[in-house]
Amino acid sequence: MSDEPARDAGYADFLDAVEDETPYYLECSNGHGSLPPRHVCPDCGDSELSETELPEFGTIQAHNVVHVPTPRFQEDTPYATAIVDFGPVSVTGQVRGMEPQAVENGLEVTMDIDRTETDEDRVLVFDVS
Ligand SMILES: [Zn+2]
């Protein structure tokens, strides 16, 4: 038994799936996409959610360079966070593999899991393809 709250356990499952290179999103019967963990569709309230494979490539929609991080990412700064459009869903994570200042909207990226420099916790990252 885990004493983690359910929503954290669900997010850990999502990180596991990304780490196994089988990331997925939840699709309701009306075709809305959302990221796990969800029990109902955030758009229409449908509870018929099925796990659907996430596209391999996404596009950076918005990004931000972080100089003053939360304690969890203290050793990682500066870094860029981005919201990436994967079609039905948008995913937030850190951009790796390039200078944070060089990150641009419209770049194509893939999703991966890395460890923070601060505490080696798992973090969702984007690699520029
Ligand atoms: Zn829906």
Side-chain angles (χ1 to χ4, degrees), residues 15-93:
L15 295 181
D16 287 343
V18 176
E19 204 159 34
D20 292 343
E21 299 184 351
T22 55
Y24 63 93
Y25 68 96
L26 301 173
E27 188 178 66
C28 81
S29 54
N30 294 312
H32 302 128
S34 58
L35 282 186
R38 292 272 182 189
H39 296 293
V40 296
C41 173
D43 289 312
C44 68
D46 187 5
S47 59
E48 296 287 314
L49 302 179
S50 55
E51 294 185 6
T52 308
E53 196 181 336
L54 204 64
E56 186 180 358
F57 295 101
T59 307
I60 294 180
Q61 279 182 319
H63 68 278
N64 182 34
V65 179
V66 177
H67 295 279
V68 183
T70 59
R72 198 183 151 208
F73 295 115
Q74 213 157 17
E75 308 292 324
D76 297 71
T77 52
Y79 61 88
T81 61
I83 300 171
V84 175
D85 179 358
F86 280 90
V89 290
S90 296
V91 183
T92 303

